[in-house]
Structure formats: C-alpha cells, structure tokens
Amino acid sequence: MATDSAPSASRRLLSLLSLLQVRRDWPGAVLAERLGVAPRTVRRDVDRLRSLGYPVRATKGPDGGYRLDAGAHLPPLLFDDEQAVALAVALRGAALIGAGIEEPAARALATLRQVMPARLRSRLDALEPAVVDRPERAGDAPVDTSVLLAIGAAIHAREELRFDYRSVPQAETGDDMPPPPRRAQPYHLLARAGRWYVVAWEPVREDWRVYRADRMTPRVPNGPRFTPREVPGGDPATFLAARFKGSDGPDTWPCHAEVILDLPADEVVPFARDGVVEPLGPDRCRLRIGSWSWAGLAAMLARFDADIEVVDSPELRAAFQDLARRAAKAADRGTGGPAANRSPRT
C-alpha cells in the first residue's frame, strides 16, 4: 500500500521493490548507488523483501546483483504514490473497456482506496467528475474474461481459433439450425469504444475479417498453427479504423468531397470530426470531409445552418437532390399537400 509518513527504512524498501520491478537484473553496486546506501544495507533490505514473500534471487557474476522472479503466490503489494494513483484511475476506467470485469475492478478499487493515505484519496476523489460512464448501445454485451484470455492465447501461440459466432440473432433469421462453427487465424485483439474486436485472416474466404469478441464462443481445442502474415497497412488499429469507415484499403472514407460553407471556420471546426477546415474570410470556410456514403455525407453537411456550395462532386450533388426530394415529401405529409391526399396502399 502507499504511505506518506513511513520511516525512511520503509520508504527505501518501497524504492528498492519499485526498482526491481522495472528491470530484470540489477547489480548490487548500482542498486546501492540509486538508493544512496551501502551494499550491506541493500543485502539487508533484500532479506526483508524475501521475508515478506517477494522472490528476490541473488545473481552470480563479477558484478553480483539481484533479480525479482515470478512468485508462486501473491505477496503484499507495495506502491509508491504515482503507482497507486495510476492503478486506481485504471481500475475506475475498467467499465469503459467492456471486458466484463466491472464488479471485480470495483472491489479492487474499494480495497485500494481503503488503504490509501488521505492525501491520495482526495486526489482520486477529485477525478470523479471527469470519468464518464460508457453509454449503452443496442446489442452491447460485456465480454467474458475467459473469452479474451482464450483469444489472446491463440494469438500468442499462432493457432487457429475455432469458435461459434452470433452475427445475427437467430430469431431474425427464422432458421432453427445454429450456424456452423467458424475458424480464423487471429492476429490482433483491440478495444474500441467499449467493445473488443479480433482482426483475423479467414482461410475459407481468403480475406481479412473483423469479429466482435462479445459474439464469439471459442471451441476447444484450437486448430493448427499458422504462419504469420502482415495485416494490410501494417498497423492493426489503422486497419480497424478503416473497416469502420467502410474502406477495404487505407484508413480513408469511401466518399469524400470539398464544399464551401457560409460560416466562420471556428463554428465549423467543432463539428468537422476528421475533416479539414480552411478559413476563406470572416464568414466563409472550405471543408474537406468524408463519410461512409454519399447520402450520409449530404445529411451530415445539412446539419450546418448555412448555404453550401459543392466544389467538385457530382455524386454529392445527386445526394443533395435526393435528400431535398425526400425532405420535401416529408414536409408535405400531414399538411394537406400532395402526399397527404394520396390514399394509403392496401
């Protein structure tokens, strides 16, 4: 636990443990220099750590040193101030990653907070308003931790995953037979907006696929080992972002255009997302922006309460025409207009 008024020997013991955790091997002389004590004191402090259950092993050689090995059980944990606050913040944000560990994370946070000095508790409590709960979305489901561990093990071992996958609720398909199991070569496990995704190569389709981990149920055992290949573009996060934009290639929107808005640039920037805004004067600006479809792009630009000039995009002009037609049709309904006088279909 973190302390702020412990005797100097206890503070030195905490510093020694922190050093042993961040580096595999430490020469005894270097540890003594870092702690500002004699080598004999380092040996005595190492013995104290061992008595607390920490597996500190002496290393042989001309320099002679120490190494913190993995233990058979969990000894008392000691954190300095920065480590304690960082751990508490990470535990508080556990609900945002959708890993199904919200309840144990809350218990761990309560335990950590109970043994924190008042000074650190006040720092942590001051952060409370800055943490926002993850909004629930239709179809959201926390991922069982065992599923994440199974996926991670397959990625590490380079073994094919065999799994059941719920892509569409069975009640919507009208099919009483469960879908056949799938197999894929998993490469990366990523979290995005509270959901976990697996980037994998699917041998049957001979193509890259993205799976939601909360819809996967791994089967045992895994399939055969596979030869690693590189994800398109080399960066899995960029590849996932591109798929969310509907792109099979680089991380770009499939539909993008350039428009002139009769609005100051500073009023457009907060709503431009990843678009590029260029001022053209006090009341006009140029906006280069993309979307997953031309209809979506037209609707997005229509949010701005201003005149819009399409610079060079016949597809966007056509999308605006279709949007205007549907908007006019919607405006006519219920007002005695042409659409309101039509008989309903039978």
Side-chain angles (χ1 to χ4, degrees), residues 16-38:
L16 173 60
L17 181 59
S18 296
L19 291 173
L20 290 171
Q21 288 172 334
V22 300
R23 178 170 160 179
R24 182 170 176 82
D25 292 298
W26 280 94
V30 176
L31 278 177
E33 182 180 354
R34 291 288 295 270
L35 297 171
V37 296

PDB file of all heavy atoms in Angstrom, residues 16-38:
ATOM      1  N   LEU A  16      13.314   0.186  -3.349  1.00  0.00           N
ATOM      2  CA  LEU A  16      14.037  -0.998  -3.817  1.00  0.00           C
ATOM      3  C   LEU A  16      13.107  -1.922  -4.599  1.00  0.00           C
ATOM      4  O   LEU A  16      13.468  -2.414  -5.663  1.00  0.00           O
ATOM      5  CB  LEU A  16      14.652  -1.740  -2.623  1.00  0.00           C
ATOM      6  CG  LEU A  16      15.306  -3.102  -2.920  1.00  0.00           C
ATOM      7  CD1 LEU A  16      16.441  -2.946  -3.922  1.00  0.00           C
ATOM      8  CD2 LEU A  16      15.801  -3.739  -1.623  1.00  0.00           C
ATOM      9  N   LEU A  17      11.909  -2.149  -4.081  1.00  0.00           N
ATOM     10  CA  LEU A  17      10.957  -3.013  -4.764  1.00  0.00           C
ATOM     11  C   LEU A  17      10.559  -2.431  -6.114  1.00  0.00           C
ATOM     12  O   LEU A  17      10.446  -3.145  -7.114  1.00  0.00           O
ATOM     13  CB  LEU A  17       9.724  -3.224  -3.886  1.00  0.00           C
ATOM     14  CG  LEU A  17       8.635  -4.131  -4.460  1.00  0.00           C
ATOM     15  CD1 LEU A  17       9.172  -5.516  -4.755  1.00  0.00           C
ATOM     16  CD2 LEU A  17       7.452  -4.209  -3.493  1.00  0.00           C
ATOM     17  N   SER A  18      10.352  -1.119  -6.164  1.00  0.00           N
ATOM     18  CA  SER A  18       9.986  -0.476  -7.431  1.00  0.00           C
ATOM     19  C   SER A  18      11.091  -0.654  -8.470  1.00  0.00           C
ATOM     20  O   SER A  18      10.822  -0.919  -9.644  1.00  0.00           O
ATOM     21  CB  SER A  18       9.707   1.014  -7.206  1.00  0.00           C
ATOM     22  OG  SER A  18       8.591   1.195  -6.367  1.00  0.00           O
ATOM     23  N   LEU A  19      12.348  -0.512  -8.052  1.00  0.00           N
ATOM     24  CA  LEU A  19      13.462  -0.683  -8.980  1.00  0.00           C
ATOM     25  C   LEU A  19      13.536  -2.119  -9.483  1.00  0.00           C
ATOM     26  O   LEU A  19      13.759  -2.366 -10.676  1.00  0.00           O
ATOM     27  CB  LEU A  19      14.772  -0.301  -8.300  1.00  0.00           C
ATOM     28  CG  LEU A  19      14.972   1.187  -7.984  1.00  0.00           C
ATOM     29  CD1 LEU A  19      16.234   1.392  -7.148  1.00  0.00           C
ATOM     30  CD2 LEU A  19      15.039   2.005  -9.261  1.00  0.00           C
ATOM     31  N   LEU A  20      13.346  -3.088  -8.602  1.00  0.00           N
ATOM     32  CA  LEU A  20      13.414  -4.493  -9.002  1.00  0.00           C
ATOM     33  C   LEU A  20      12.295  -4.873  -9.966  1.00  0.00           C
ATOM     34  O   LEU A  20      12.446  -5.791 -10.767  1.00  0.00           O
ATOM     35  CB  LEU A  20      13.349  -5.390  -7.761  1.00  0.00           C
ATOM     36  CG  LEU A  20      14.577  -5.362  -6.843  1.00  0.00           C
ATOM     37  CD1 LEU A  20      14.292  -6.122  -5.555  1.00  0.00           C
ATOM     38  CD2 LEU A  20      15.793  -5.954  -7.549  1.00  0.00           C
ATOM     39  N   GLN A  21      11.167  -4.150  -9.923  1.00  0.00           N
ATOM     40  CA  GLN A  21      10.041  -4.470 -10.780  1.00  0.00           C
ATOM     41  C   GLN A  21      10.209  -3.952 -12.204  1.00  0.00           C
ATOM     42  O   GLN A  21       9.587  -4.463 -13.126  1.00  0.00           O
ATOM     43  CB  GLN A  21       8.752  -3.902 -10.181  1.00  0.00           C
ATOM     44  CG  GLN A  21       8.288  -4.655  -8.935  1.00  0.00           C
ATOM     45  CD  GLN A  21       7.122  -3.962  -8.249  1.00  0.00           C
ATOM     46  OE1 GLN A  21       6.952  -2.751  -8.366  1.00  0.00           O
ATOM     47  NE2 GLN A  21       6.325  -4.727  -7.530  1.00  0.00           N
ATOM     48  N   VAL A  22      11.034  -2.934 -12.397  1.00  0.00           N
ATOM     49  CA  VAL A  22      11.127  -2.316 -13.720  1.00  0.00           C
ATOM     50  C   VAL A  22      12.329  -2.805 -14.518  1.00  0.00           C
ATOM     51  O   VAL A  22      12.468  -2.442 -15.684  1.00  0.00           O
ATOM     52  CB  VAL A  22      11.173  -0.778 -13.608  1.00  0.00           C
ATOM     53  CG1 VAL A  22       9.931  -0.240 -12.943  1.00  0.00           C
ATOM     54  CG2 VAL A  22      12.420  -0.320 -12.851  1.00  0.00           C
ATOM     55  N   ARG A  23      13.173  -3.627 -13.929  1.00  0.00           N
ATOM     56  CA  ARG A  23      14.351  -4.092 -14.650  1.00  0.00           C
ATOM     57  C   ARG A  23      14.681  -5.510 -14.194  1.00  0.00           C
ATOM     58  O   ARG A  23      14.556  -5.828 -13.015  1.00  0.00           O
ATOM     59  CB  ARG A  23      15.534  -3.152 -14.364  1.00  0.00           C
ATOM     60  CG  ARG A  23      16.839  -3.554 -15.011  1.00  0.00           C
ATOM     61  CD  ARG A  23      17.847  -2.426 -14.856  1.00  0.00           C
ATOM     62  NE  ARG A  23      19.213  -2.884 -15.011  1.00  0.00           N
ATOM     63  CZ  ARG A  23      20.280  -2.101 -14.944  1.00  0.00           C
ATOM     64  NH1 ARG A  23      20.117  -0.813 -14.699  1.00  0.00           N
ATOM     65  NH2 ARG A  23      21.499  -2.583 -15.096  1.00  0.00           N
ATOM     66  N   ARG A  24      15.062  -6.359 -15.136  1.00  0.00           N
ATOM     67  CA  ARG A  24      15.246  -7.767 -14.817  1.00  0.00           C
ATOM     68  C   ARG A  24      16.405  -7.989 -13.848  1.00  0.00           C
ATOM     69  O   ARG A  24      16.263  -8.684 -12.843  1.00  0.00           O
ATOM     70  CB  ARG A  24      15.472  -8.566 -16.108  1.00  0.00           C
ATOM     71  CG  ARG A  24      15.623 -10.062 -15.867  1.00  0.00           C
ATOM     72  CD  ARG A  24      15.600 -10.843 -17.162  1.00  0.00           C
ATOM     73  NE  ARG A  24      15.838 -12.252 -16.933  1.00  0.00           N
ATOM     74  CZ  ARG A  24      14.923 -13.121 -16.554  1.00  0.00           C
ATOM     75  NH1 ARG A  24      13.693 -12.702 -16.327  1.00  0.00           N
ATOM     76  NH2 ARG A  24      15.203 -14.395 -16.377  1.00  0.00           N
ATOM     77  N   ASP A  25      17.566  -7.467 -14.139  1.00  0.00           N
ATOM     78  CA  ASP A  25      18.751  -7.692 -13.306  1.00  0.00           C
ATOM     79  C   ASP A  25      19.330  -6.363 -12.857  1.00  0.00           C
ATOM     80  O   ASP A  25      19.468  -5.426 -13.660  1.00  0.00           O
ATOM     81  CB  ASP A  25      19.821  -8.473 -14.084  1.00  0.00           C
ATOM     82  CG  ASP A  25      19.387  -9.901 -14.381  1.00  0.00           C
ATOM     83  OD1 ASP A  25      19.170 -10.656 -13.424  1.00  0.00           O
ATOM     84  OD2 ASP A  25      19.254 -10.243 -15.573  1.00  0.00           O
ATOM     85  N   TRP A  26      19.688  -6.302 -11.572  1.00  0.00           N
ATOM     86  CA  TRP A  26      20.308  -5.104 -11.023  1.00  0.00           C
ATOM     87  C   TRP A  26      21.616  -5.483 -10.333  1.00  0.00           C
ATOM     88  O   TRP A  26      21.610  -6.275  -9.386  1.00  0.00           O
ATOM     89  CB  TRP A  26      19.388  -4.459  -9.978  1.00  0.00           C
ATOM     90  CG  TRP A  26      18.288  -3.633 -10.538  1.00  0.00           C
ATOM     91  CD1 TRP A  26      17.014  -4.043 -10.794  1.00  0.00           C
ATOM     92  CD2 TRP A  26      18.347  -2.241 -10.885  1.00  0.00           C
ATOM     93  NE1 TRP A  26      16.274  -2.999 -11.291  1.00  0.00           N
ATOM     94  CE2 TRP A  26      17.065  -1.882 -11.356  1.00  0.00           C
ATOM     95  CE3 TRP A  26      19.357  -1.276 -10.852  1.00  0.00           C
ATOM     96  CZ2 TRP A  26      16.771  -0.599 -11.787  1.00  0.00           C
ATOM     97  CZ3 TRP A  26      19.059   0.002 -11.287  1.00  0.00           C
ATOM     98  CH2 TRP A  26      17.790   0.330 -11.751  1.00  0.00           C
ATOM     99  N   PRO A  27      22.760  -4.960 -10.754  1.00  0.00           N
ATOM    100  CA  PRO A  27      23.993  -5.145  -9.981  1.00  0.00           C
ATOM    101  C   PRO A  27      23.837  -4.523  -8.599  1.00  0.00           C
ATOM    102  O   PRO A  27      23.233  -3.446  -8.450  1.00  0.00           O
ATOM    103  CB  PRO A  27      25.053  -4.412 -10.811  1.00  0.00           C
ATOM    104  CG  PRO A  27      24.476  -4.355 -12.203  1.00  0.00           C
ATOM    105  CD  PRO A  27      22.994  -4.237 -12.021  1.00  0.00           C
ATOM    106  N   GLY A  28      24.379  -5.190  -7.587  1.00  0.00           N
ATOM    107  CA  GLY A  28      24.238  -4.691  -6.224  1.00  0.00           C
ATOM    108  C   GLY A  28      24.791  -3.297  -6.042  1.00  0.00           C
ATOM    109  O   GLY A  28      24.200  -2.468  -5.342  1.00  0.00           O
ATOM    110  N   ALA A  29      25.925  -3.014  -6.704  1.00  0.00           N
ATOM    111  CA  ALA A  29      26.535  -1.695  -6.550  1.00  0.00           C
ATOM    112  C   ALA A  29      25.647  -0.603  -7.144  1.00  0.00           C
ATOM    113  O   ALA A  29      25.564   0.510  -6.607  1.00  0.00           O
ATOM    114  CB  ALA A  29      27.913  -1.683  -7.213  1.00  0.00           C
ATOM    115  N   VAL A  30      24.982  -0.908  -8.261  1.00  0.00           N
ATOM    116  CA  VAL A  30      24.103   0.087  -8.895  1.00  0.00           C
ATOM    117  C   VAL A  30      22.894   0.356  -8.013  1.00  0.00           C
ATOM    118  O   VAL A  30      22.461   1.512  -7.841  1.00  0.00           O
ATOM    119  CB  VAL A  30      23.670  -0.402 -10.288  1.00  0.00           C
ATOM    120  CG1 VAL A  30      22.679   0.568 -10.917  1.00  0.00           C
ATOM    121  CG2 VAL A  30      24.892  -0.570 -11.192  1.00  0.00           C
ATOM    122  N   LEU A  31      22.344  -0.703  -7.418  1.00  0.00           N
ATOM    123  CA  LEU A  31      21.209  -0.514  -6.508  1.00  0.00           C
ATOM    124  C   LEU A  31      21.616   0.344  -5.312  1.00  0.00           C
ATOM    125  O   LEU A  31      20.870   1.245  -4.894  1.00  0.00           O
ATOM    126  CB  LEU A  31      20.691  -1.874  -6.023  1.00  0.00           C
ATOM    127  CG  LEU A  31      19.742  -2.633  -6.949  1.00  0.00           C
ATOM    128  CD1 LEU A  31      19.389  -3.993  -6.345  1.00  0.00           C
ATOM    129  CD2 LEU A  31      18.470  -1.825  -7.207  1.00  0.00           C
ATOM    130  N   ALA A  32      22.759   0.064  -4.764  1.00  0.00           N
ATOM    131  CA  ALA A  32      23.219   0.846  -3.616  1.00  0.00           C
ATOM    132  C   ALA A  32      23.374   2.313  -3.983  1.00  0.00           C
ATOM    133  O   ALA A  32      23.007   3.210  -3.203  1.00  0.00           O
ATOM    134  CB  ALA A  32      24.542   0.271  -3.098  1.00  0.00           C
ATOM    135  N   GLU A  33      23.914   2.573  -5.179  1.00  0.00           N
ATOM    136  CA  GLU A  33      24.092   3.961  -5.622  1.00  0.00           C
ATOM    137  C   GLU A  33      22.751   4.651  -5.819  1.00  0.00           C
ATOM    138  O   GLU A  33      22.575   5.816  -5.445  1.00  0.00           O
ATOM    139  CB  GLU A  33      24.902   3.972  -6.922  1.00  0.00           C
ATOM    140  CG  GLU A  33      25.175   5.373  -7.449  1.00  0.00           C
ATOM    141  CD  GLU A  33      25.976   5.337  -8.736  1.00  0.00           C
ATOM    142  OE1 GLU A  33      26.408   4.235  -9.139  1.00  0.00           O
ATOM    143  OE2 GLU A  33      26.165   6.412  -9.337  1.00  0.00           O
ATOM    144  N   ARG A  34      21.784   3.924  -6.441  1.00  0.00           N
ATOM    145  CA  ARG A  34      20.468   4.531  -6.683  1.00  0.00           C
ATOM    146  C   ARG A  34      19.746   4.842  -5.372  1.00  0.00           C
ATOM    147  O   ARG A  34      19.017   5.837  -5.272  1.00  0.00           O
ATOM    148  CB  ARG A  34      19.615   3.584  -7.531  1.00  0.00           C
ATOM    149  CG  ARG A  34      20.095   3.415  -8.966  1.00  0.00           C
ATOM    150  CD  ARG A  34      19.822   4.683  -9.774  1.00  0.00           C
ATOM    151  NE  ARG A  34      18.397   4.953  -9.930  1.00  0.00           N
ATOM    152  CZ  ARG A  34      17.658   4.507 -10.934  1.00  0.00           C
ATOM    153  NH1 ARG A  34      18.217   3.751 -11.875  1.00  0.00           N
ATOM    154  NH2 ARG A  34      16.386   4.815 -11.018  1.00  0.00           N
ATOM    155  N   LEU A  35      19.943   3.995  -4.363  1.00  0.00           N
ATOM    156  CA  LEU A  35      19.245   4.180  -3.096  1.00  0.00           C
ATOM    157  C   LEU A  35      20.017   5.051  -2.123  1.00  0.00           C
ATOM    158  O   LEU A  35      19.480   5.474  -1.087  1.00  0.00           O
ATOM    159  CB  LEU A  35      18.966   2.816  -2.451  1.00  0.00           C
ATOM    160  CG  LEU A  35      18.033   1.881  -3.232  1.00  0.00           C
ATOM    161  CD1 LEU A  35      18.021   0.501  -2.591  1.00  0.00           C
ATOM    162  CD2 LEU A  35      16.630   2.454  -3.279  1.00  0.00           C
ATOM    163  N   GLY A  36      21.290   5.310  -2.445  1.00  0.00           N
ATOM    164  CA  GLY A  36      22.101   6.142  -1.574  1.00  0.00           C
ATOM    165  C   GLY A  36      22.488   5.472  -0.283  1.00  0.00           C
ATOM    166  O   GLY A  36      22.573   6.127   0.773  1.00  0.00           O
ATOM    167  N   VAL A  37      22.723   4.151  -0.335  1.00  0.00           N
ATOM    168  CA  VAL A  37      23.088   3.394   0.862  1.00  0.00           C
ATOM    169  C   VAL A  37      24.283   2.501   0.546  1.00  0.00           C
ATOM    170  O   VAL A  37      24.726   2.406  -0.602  1.00  0.00           O
ATOM    171  CB  VAL A  37      21.901   2.526   1.363  1.00  0.00           C
ATOM    172  CG1 VAL A  37      20.731   3.416   1.799  1.00  0.00           C
ATOM    173  CG2 VAL A  37      21.462   1.542   0.290  1.00  0.00           C
ATOM    174  N   ALA A  38      24.777   1.812   1.548  1.00  0.00           N
ATOM    175  CA  ALA A  38      25.892   0.881   1.363  1.00  0.00           C
ATOM    176  C   ALA A  38      25.376  -0.451   0.837  1.00  0.00           C
ATOM    177  O   ALA A  38      24.215  -0.803   1.054  1.00  0.00           O
ATOM    178  CB  ALA A  38      26.622   0.673   2.692  1.00  0.00           C
TER     179      ALA A  38
END
